[in-house]
Amino acid sequence: MSRSSVKYGVDPFILASVMIQRSGLSWVLAEGGAYGLMALDWEKHRRWITEDHPRVQSRRVLCKPVINVRIGTDLMSRNLKRGGMDYDMMVRNEYDDVPGAYEVIWEHYRNMARLFRERVEADGL
C-alpha cells in the first residue's frame, strides 16, 4: 500500500480508510460488481484499467491484493486530480455510495492519524 501511495501521491491513511469502509479489508470481496480490497467496479473501469495496466486483463487478476490496491490508488489519484486535490470532495463524490460511508471513512482516517501521532510522540521522533 505504501508504494502505491507514494507512486500515485495519495495519502496512505485515506487509502486505508477507504479500503476499510468499502471492503472491510476483505481481499476476496466480490459483491455487486465490487472486487477486492478497494471494492473496484470491474465493468465500470475495465476499459481504462486494461489500457493503462496492460497486465490486468481479467477480473481474476484485478482481485490480487497488490494489484487491486495499486489500481484503486491510481483511480483515487485520478479522482483527486479531477477535483483539484480536494480529499473531502473526492471522498464525498467517489466513495460516499452507501449511507454513512463518508462519515465512516473520515472516522477511520482520524483514528489512524491519532494513533500515528501518538506513536511518533512515544518514540520521541
Side-chain angles (χ1 to χ4, degrees):
M1 181 178 83
S2 62
R3 247 198 255 166
S4 292
S5 175
V6 170
K7 178 178 180 177
Y8 293 105
V10 173
D11 183 317
F13 291 158
I14 199 70
L15 184 62
S17 298
V18 167
M19 275 193 278
I20 293 166
Q21 189 281 321
R22 292 179 63 86
S23 71
L25 297 179
S26 172
W27 65 273
V28 295
L29 177 76
E31 279 180 12
Y35 299 95
L37 287 165
M38 294 296 294
L40 295 170
D41 185 330
W42 174 246
E43 294 306 317
K44 180 179 179 183
H45 300 294
R46 178 191 316 210
R47 183 171 179 216
W48 76 262
I49 290 171
T50 57
E51 288 174 2
D52 293 1
H53 300 272
R55 298 172 104 185
V56 183
Q57 295 294 318
S58 70
R59 191 177 64 215
R60 182 184 61 77
V61 175
L62 177 72
C63 289
K64 294 184 180 205
V66 171
I67 292 170
N68 190 273
V69 171
R70 183 179 309 131
I71 291 172
T73 309
D74 184 4
L75 177 60
M76 189 177 283
S77 174
R78 293 166 189 241
N79 292 332
L80 274 168
K81 289 173 185 165
R82 197 170 35 252
M85 297 307 286
D86 184 331
Y87 277 87
D88 190 68
M89 182 188 330
M90 184 265 307
V91 169
R92 189 171 304 282
N93 291 341
E94 303 299 331
Y95 301 102
D96 190 23
D97 51 356
V98 296
Y102 173 86
E103 291 81 8
V104 169
I105 289 168
W106 286 115
E107 181 180 349
H108 289 309
Y109 184 88
R110 285 188 299 276
N111 288 337
M112 281 186 272
R114 180 183 49 78
L115 290 170
F116 180 75
R117 188 173 41 255
E118 289 171 2
R119 179 60 187 244
V120 167
E121 289 170 0
D123 290 347
L125 299 176

